[in-house]
Amino acid sequence: MKVIILLLLVKSVLSANILHIVPLGTRSHHIWNRVLALGLVEKGHNVTMITHTKEKGKFENFHVIILEGFFEKVHDSFTLDFLTETNEFLDVKKTYDFSLYSCEHDFSTEGFRTILNYPKDFIFDLIIIDITLGQCFYPLIERFGNPPIVAVTPFKLPPVFSHVFGNPLQAAFVPFYSTNYLDRMSFLQRIKNFVLTHFEVFYRKYFGLPAEYKLAKKYFAEDIRPFEEVERNMSILITSYDPILDFPMALPPNIIPAGGLHVQPVKPLPDDLKRIVDDAKHGLIVFTLGSYLRSDDLSSTKKSAILNAFAKLPQTIFWKFESEIENCPKNVIVRKWLPQNDLLGNPKAKLLITHGGALSTQEAMHHGVPLIVIPFFIDQHANGEKLVDRNMGKVLRYNDITSENLYAAVTEVTSNPMYTKNIKQLSQRFKEAPEGPLKRAVYWVEYVLRHGSLEYLNLASRDMWIYQAAGYDVIFGLLLGICLIYALLSFIFTCFRFIYNLIC
C-alpha cells in the first residue's frame, strides 16, 4: 500500500500543467504539435492547446481551445495564383503579412477571449509555443507569470530561428528555405543566399515583429515586453529538422532536432480503403496537396490533365479531393480525407504525389516511398530539389502540368528502381537512430520542466549583434588595417622618393 501511495505522489510531482500555443493557422502545424502534446499527455502531464483545428476525439488531460473560423476565412483570401506568382524576397513579405493577417483574426475569436479570461492566478508550469509565425501571442507568456518556455517549429530550421537562438548564420552552405539551391552552391548562388538570409533577419526585426507588437499592445497592454526579449528567455528550440532527412548543419546545444516527430506507427486502414488496397494488383499511388492547399482549387485544365494521365496508369490512385469529380477514371479513388501515413506505410505504396510540404516529404522518407513534388511556395521548392539531388523523386512545376508530363514523371519514378532503392536506404538510416524524435522532444520538454531556464546551453553569440557573431567586424577591421598599413607605406615611400629627388 505504501508503495502505491509513493508512486502516486511521484506521479503527482512529475505531472505538469502545460500550455501549448499553436498560433499558425495550418493543419499540418497542428498535426505536428498535437503529436508532441499527446506524447506529453502519455507521460502524465496535463496539456491545454490553443489551435485552429477541432479535436474529433477526447483524450484525458488534453484540452483544446479553438481559434475558430480561420480556415474558412483564409480559403477565400489566398488563391493558388497568389502563392505561385512570387519570388524569394516577396515570399518573405507574404509570410509576415500572412502572420499578421492570422493574428488579426485570432484576436477576434471567442477562443482567444477564453484563454485571456482565465483566472489571474492560474498557473501553467511551462509554455510550449510554435514560433514559426504568430509572435503576437508572446504576451500570453507574461500573462501567465513567465514560466519556462520551450519554443518549437515544424518548419524545419529557417536561418532566422538559428539566429534567434544564437546559432551563427551559415549562408555559405545552408540554402535559404524558399530557394531551390542545394548545400553546394555556385558563387552567384551564395551571394543571393547570403542576401536572402540576412534580408529575412532584417525584415523580421524591423517590419514583421514591430507590426505584430503594435497589434498585441491593443489586446494585452501598452507595456508588454519587447518580443525579442521574450525570445531571449526561451530555453530551447525543438525543430522538425533532421540531418539525415535534410542537409547537415551545425547546431548549438539549445536547438534540438526532432525531424519526423509526427510520423506515427501504421494503423489498419478503414474497411472500405482496405478492400480497395487489397485489390490493387499494381500497387497504389497517393496524391495530396496537403492540409492547406485544396485540390478542388486547381484549374479545370489542370484537373483534366491530371485525370487523363491517371487513366493511363495501371496503379490505383488515392486522391485527396475536397469535392466531387465528374468522369473519374475507375482506378482513381477520391476522398475528402485520407489516412496518408497509413497508406504510405502499406507495402503496396509506390509513389506519393505531393505539394512538397516538410511533413509530407518526411512521412514518405520514413516509409521509403519515392515522390513527385509539385511545389507552390516557401520551402516546397527546396524540399523537392533535395529529393531530386538524392535521386528519390522528381519535381514537376505547376505550370508544367500536362497529361503527358505527369504520365512521364509517374512512369519514370515507378518503373526505375533507383528512386525506391535510394529512399528506402535513407529510411533505414533514419529508423536506426538510437532514439525516436518524439521521445527526444518529450525528454527535453521534461528537462526544462525539471531545471527551468537552460542558460548554460546558450552560445555567447546569442547576446551578440549579427555582425559580431559572424565575425564581420573582425573582417572589416582586418581589411581596414591592411588599407591603413598600405596607405602608410605608400605615404612613407612617397616621402622617401620626394627626399631622394630633392637630394639627387
Side-chain angles (χ1 to χ4, degrees), residues 33-192:
N33 281 280
R34 179 181 180 273
V35 172
L36 174 58
L38 291 179
L40 291 164
V41 169
E42 287 183 7
K43 294 297 292 292
H45 302 293
N46 182 68
V47 180
T48 300
M49 176 176 279
I50 303 173
T51 184
H52 298 80
T53 304
K54 294 179 181 179
E55 187 67 31
K56 294 180 179 179
K58 288 187 177 181
F59 297 87
E60 187 178 359
N61 297 330
F62 182 53
H63 319 282
V64 177
I65 297 174
I66 302 297
L67 303 169
E68 71 281 355
F70 181 77
F71 294 118
E72 295 80 4
K73 184 176 180 180
V74 76
H75 178 250
D76 296 333
S77 303
F78 295 92
T79 64
L80 290 178
D81 289 336
F82 173 84
L83 297 173
T84 55
E85 295 172 3
T86 187
N87 60 60
E88 292 91 347
F89 292 96
L90 191 57
D91 273 346
V92 172
K93 181 180 183 302
K94 284 184 176 182
T95 298
Y96 290 100
D97 286 349
F98 179 81
S99 181
L100 183 61
Y101 174 89
S102 179
C103 288
E104 289 170 343
H105 168 82
D106 293 345
F107 285 169
S108 69
T109 63
E110 188 62 34
F112 176 72
R113 287 187 286 274
T114 297
I115 191 66
L116 209 59
N117 290 330
Y118 265 46
K120 295 293 184 182
D121 58 348
F122 195 91
I123 295 175
F124 285 109
D125 301 297
L126 178 136
I127 292 179
I128 301 173
I129 183 166
D130 185 339
I131 65 168
T132 309
L133 291 174
Q135 280 68 35
C136 57
F137 277 84
Y138 284 175
L140 280 179
I141 296 167
E142 189 172 4
R143 163 70 176 76
F144 290 107
N146 295 308
I149 313 163
V150 171
V152 300
T153 176
F155 194 53
K156 296 191 177 178
L157 186 56
V160 70
F161 296 148
S162 273
H163 172 66
V164 166
F165 282 81
N167 199 24
L169 299 176
Q170 303 163 44
F173 56 89
V174 177
F176 190 70
Y177 56 83
S178 62
T179 69
N180 57 3
Y181 298 158
L182 304 176
D183 57 344
R184 288 169 174 78
M185 294 171 267
S186 68
F187 177 67
L188 292 178
Q189 286 176 333
R190 279 187 284 119
I191 290 176
K192 185 175 181 180

Side-chain angles (χ1 to χ4, degrees), residues 443-500:
Y443 166 82
W444 279 101
V445 171
E446 293 189 319
Y447 190 88
V448 174
L449 273 168
R450 292 193 298 271
H451 300 284
S453 175
L454 306 184
E455 190 67 26
Y456 53 87
L457 293 183
N458 289 324
L459 300 180
S461 55
R462 194 171 186 184
D463 296 313
M464 293 180 177
W465 289 95
I466 189 170
Y467 64 85
Q468 293 174 317
Y472 301 149
D473 54 340
V474 175
I475 295 172
F476 177 79
L478 290 172
L479 291 175
L480 181 61
I482 292 171
C483 290
L484 290 174
I485 292 171
Y486 176 79
L488 179 62
L489 292 175
S490 297
F491 176 74
I492 294 172
F493 177 77
T494 301
C495 290
F496 274 116
R497 188 172 182 180
F498 178 74
I499 295 170
Y500 176 81

